[in-house]
Amino acid sequence: MTPDELHSQDIQCPYCGENFELLVDGSVPHQQYIEDCEVCCRPIVLSVSVAGMEGHIEVVANREDD
């Protein structure tokens, strides 16, 4: 996995609990943004971290009101 590509990540909505696929940009080491759940349409705060040369990606999904 190279860090300068888009990567597919499965996340779970913190509101409705449904899983859905998210494309993550591996070229930015740390990012935070809001994306609506594909199922319930509520806003999810996504914190994305890309670690090391191997480009391990961690995605944390939180409710907007957390």
Side-chain angles (χ1 to χ4, degrees), residues 11-23:
I11 65 165
Q12 183 177 35
C13 175
Y15 296 100
C16 69
E18 291 293 324
N19 291 318
F20 63 93
E21 185 178 6
L22 178 71
L23 287 178

Side-chain angles (χ1 to χ4, degrees), residues 2-7 23-29 31 48 50 55 57:
T2 60
D4 59 346
E5 298 176 351
L6 290 178
H7 301 280
L23 287 178
V24 177
D25 181 0
S27 68
V28 180
Q31 52 189 312
V48 180
V50 181
I57 297 175

Side-chain angles (χ1 to χ4, degrees), residues 29-42:
H30 302 287
Q31 52 189 312
Q32 186 174 37
Y33 59 96
I34 296 175
E35 185 156 328
D36 291 341
C37 173
E38 293 180 357
V39 179
C40 71
C41 300
R42 296 184 76 183

